[in-house]
Amino acid sequence: MEKKNKKIFFIGMVLLLCLQIIVLFYYGSRKAGFHEDELYSYYSSNKTAGLFVNDREWTTGESFRNELVVLPGEQFRYGVVKQMQSWDVHPPLYYYLLHTVCSLTPGIFSKWQGISVNLAGFVISFILLAYAAYLTAVYPISRQPELSDSQKQAYRKRGYALAGTVCAVWGFGAAVISGVMFIRMYQWLTVFVLSCLCLHLRVLVRKRENWKFYLLLAVTVFLGFLTQYYYIIFHFFLGVGSCLYLLKEKKWKSLVAYVGTCAAALGAALVYYPSALSHIFKGYRGTEAVGEFTNASNTLERIQFFAGLFDKYMMGGFLAVWLLLICLIAVTNRFLQKRAKRSGREQKRERILTPPVGLLLFTAAVGTAAAAAYYYMQQKDSQLKESSDADDDYDDFHEDLDESTEFSRNYVPLNASVPASAPTEETAETEASSSSSDFTPLSGQAADLSGEEGETVEDVEEFFDEEDAEDEEPPVNEE
């Protein structure tokens, strides 16, 4: 029975992952243009000579393009990538990955090079998230060794359901899709954050540490730090909780080994990439992050800000309603537990909708609905803009032309249309005579502009001569 459940779970997760990858490919095909930071990702990974814009000198588009692609003969130059990042404010691991993909496709610049790197990180994150959700669900088994086989199997079934629900919520979320489309290092930061989480959950469930755990922990800290410095913030709080747990359990050797492993991995990362110290403590981004981290005066405002973003873009403005519903589920669950205990009957926990499961189910439904609603509103807004009257917007240069117009508004000819036949001699003579009749000599224009009757051209010239005479310098008498 257990093997059958595992097989069904495995097939379902593979199908779910394939469906999410199809969705990501769809949004990838719709991606148009680049954020400036995305272009910096390509430039930092594939620099050839550097972008130098000299004043009053023309720079060709080919020169710019060569700085964003790996030219033939310049593949796998990881030393240049590391040097480029030492001048920036980020660690180099993500740029190594992007440079590797671009080196396999030299001379090509494509959005799919960056998206493919993030897709690989998405697949790894999907697996790690499913494992973390499963470990969370089966954690009570380690706390209650007296459970029967049927009860343990019930927890494992709950783990399968929780893993599938969490991955469905996560993979179809608007934030995750945007993260994959955004050609930066944050998707791979997610990989190492989830790796760190899985390692700690595994230790809690199995209640033992071995050399494999410490080796994987060291690798995770090393690679996570070299991906994004924000990894240290996450690991710091998780590490404090782990140390407190080891102190409570009086596992002194495990505590020393844990702290020593983290410190050694962090030290190795600094030895490999010493520029990190200047980035964190002297760079503009590092000093800004350290200042925000040490300043707790606006912590409540930050929480309100991110809660507002989550409510607006993920929950459609109904976060308070769903939180109230989850609280009602929790109260109902507690009431059923007490009633079962008073009646002396064994409670079937697996049949009660717990708050975490309820939260995940609601997030799955609302997240999918929010993404669909957002796409619908985008389409509706674009249609309204197209059908709006041009007089309402003085900056609208896309107004429809008359039906008799030769060219549509989406096409502008570079050359004017050539007449079907050359003009005849009569036409040419007529145009010449009309142009000559319209010509007015300069003297006539001056007479018209004078504005006074009886004033001749000679008077006007005499007037200007008098002014010039006043401005002239007196002659120098030579003795």
Side-chain angles (χ1 to χ4, degrees):
M1 187 65 180
E2 182 65 22
K3 291 183 179 180
K4 182 180 178 180
N5 293 334
K6 284 184 178 181
K7 185 177 181 179
I8 295 175
F9 170 72
F10 178 77
I11 295 175
M13 295 299 288
V14 170
L15 293 176
L16 177 62
L17 178 60
C18 292
L19 181 60
Q20 291 179 349
I21 291 176
I22 292 173
V23 173
L24 292 173
F25 269 105
Y26 167 75
Y27 280 102
S29 65
R30 304 275 295 180
K31 178 180 174 65
F34 296 86
H35 187 272
E36 59 178 323
D37 288 348
E38 295 179 296
L39 294 176
Y40 278 124
S41 295
Y42 285 95
Y43 175 62
S44 299
S45 304
N46 306 325
K47 180 188 81 74
T48 298
L51 289 174
F52 300 99
V53 181
N54 297 321
D55 187 24
R56 300 184 183 182
E57 289 187 9
W58 179 258
T59 301
T60 63
E62 189 69 18
S63 301
F64 283 104
R65 184 181 182 276
N66 290 341
E67 299 299 326
L68 303 178
V69 303
V70 173
L71 299 178
E74 297 183 352
Q75 295 95 325
F76 309 108
R77 299 191 306 164
Y78 298 106
V80 176
V81 178
K82 182 180 179 181
Q83 183 184 30
M84 284 292 295
Q85 288 313 115
S86 67
W87 298 336
D88 197 11
V89 292
H90 295 295
L93 181 59
Y94 172 78
Y95 301 91
Y96 289 163
L97 298 175
L98 182 58
H99 179 69
T100 301
V101 174
C102 294
S103 296
L104 296 174
T105 55
I108 296 176
F109 176 77
S110 172
K111 62 184 177 182
W112 292 107
Q113 294 168 322
I115 294 176
S116 62
V117 174
N118 288 350
L119 273 174
F122 173 85
V123 173
I124 299 174
S125 299
F126 181 92
I127 298 172
L128 292 172
L129 185 63
Y131 186 53
Y134 176 80
L135 290 176
T136 303
V138 301
Y139 173 71
I141 297 179
S142 62
R143 305 289 295 179
Q144 305 176 42
E146 70 280 359
L147 294 175
S148 62
D149 293 339
S150 60
Q151 290 174 326
K152 292 180 180 179
Q153 186 177 358
Y155 276 110
R156 294 190 184 97
K157 286 183 179 180
R158 185 180 296 177
Y160 298 148
L162 186 63
T165 304
V166 169
C167 289
V169 172
W170 178 79
F172 289 117
V176 175
I177 295 175
S178 299
V180 177
M181 296 300 107
F182 190 47
I183 305 175
R184 296 293 283 172
M185 74 291 294
Y186 301 107
Q187 184 59 53
W188 279 90
L189 173 63
T190 305
V191 170
F192 295 110
V193 166
L194 290 175
S195 299
C196 179
L197 179 63
C198 287
L199 287 173
H200 288 77
L201 287 174
R202 184 181 175 89
V203 168
L204 287 176
V205 171
R206 297 198 173 189
K207 286 187 169 297
R208 65 178 183 274
E209 308 90 10
N210 52 24
W211 65 272
K212 293 181 180 180
F213 165 75
Y214 295 114
L215 177 61
L216 292 175
L217 180 65
V219 172
T220 302
V221 173
F222 181 82
L223 297 179
F225 180 79
L226 291 180
T227 301
Q228 234 292 345
Y229 299 134
Y230 290 155
Y231 170 84
I232 293 300
I233 299 177
F234 173 82
H235 197 128
F236 171 79
F237 290 103
L238 189 60
V240 168
S242 300
C243 291
L244 293 176
Y245 170 78
L246 294 175
L247 286 173
K248 179 183 177 182
E249 298 293 328
K250 297 182 180 181
K251 295 183 177 181
W252 310 113
K253 292 183 179 180
S254 297
L255 177 62
V256 173
Y258 180 85
V259 175
T261 300
C262 294
L266 182 60
L270 292 175
V271 170
Y272 174 77
Y273 192 64
S275 300
L277 292 175
S278 61
H279 290 172
I280 295 174
F281 297 106
K282 294 182 179 180
Y284 73 93
R285 186 65 57 83
T287 54
E288 178 184 354
V290 172
E292 293 292 339
F293 182 75
T294 55
N295 182 17
S297 60
N298 59 345
T299 302
L300 182 59
E301 296 178 2
R302 297 182 202 174
I303 295 175
Q304 292 175 346
F305 172 74
F306 287 107
L309 291 179
F310 181 77
D311 183 23
K312 180 178 180 181
Y313 294 104
M314 290 300 294
M315 298 303 172
F318 293 97
L319 179 61
V321 176
W322 285 106
L323 288 176
L324 178 61
L325 180 60
I326 292 172
C327 292
L328 292 176
I329 293 174
V331 172
T332 304
N333 186 42
R334 184 64 177 171
F335 172 75
L336 293 176
Q337 288 179 355
K338 289 185 176 181
R339 189 177 67 174
K341 186 177 181 180
R342 286 197 303 267
S343 61
R345 292 182 286 106
E346 182 180 0
Q347 184 183 11
K348 296 182 179 180
R349 295 177 180 267
E350 64 274 12
R351 294 186 181 180
I352 298 177
L353 184 62
T354 59
V357 177
L359 175 62
L360 292 171
L361 291 176
F362 123 77
T363 310
V366 174
T368 306
Y374 177 73
Y375 178 76
Y376 169 77
M377 292 304 296
Q378 274 190 327
Q379 297 297 322
K380 183 177 180 181
D381 183 61
S382 61
Q383 293 175 0
L384 289 175
K385 286 182 179 179
E386 291 178 0
S387 62
S388 61
D389 188 5
D391 294 337
D392 295 337
D393 186 4
Y394 296 100
D395 294 332
D396 185 8
F397 300 102
H398 298 86
E399 52 188 350
D400 293 330
L401 301 178
D402 297 334
E403 294 181 357
S404 60
T405 305
E406 181 179 359
F407 301 102
S408 67
R409 68 178 184 178
N410 294 324
Y411 173 73
V412 179
L414 296 180
N415 299 315
S417 57
V418 181
S421 61
T424 61
E425 294 182 0
E426 294 181 357
T427 307
E429 291 177 358
T430 304
E431 291 179 354
S433 61
S434 62
S435 61
S436 61
S437 62
D438 294 338
F439 175 75
T440 303
L442 182 61
S443 59
Q445 296 180 16
D448 294 338
L449 293 174
S450 63
E452 297 181 4
E453 295 182 357
E455 185 173 325
T456 63
V457 176
E458 289 76 7
D459 296 333
V460 175
E461 292 179 353
E462 184 179 354
F463 172 77
F464 285 107
D465 290 341
E466 291 177 357
E467 283 192 348
D468 294 339
E470 293 178 359
D471 295 338
E472 290 180 356
E473 296 181 358
V476 179
N477 296 326
E478 297 181 357
E479 295 180 359

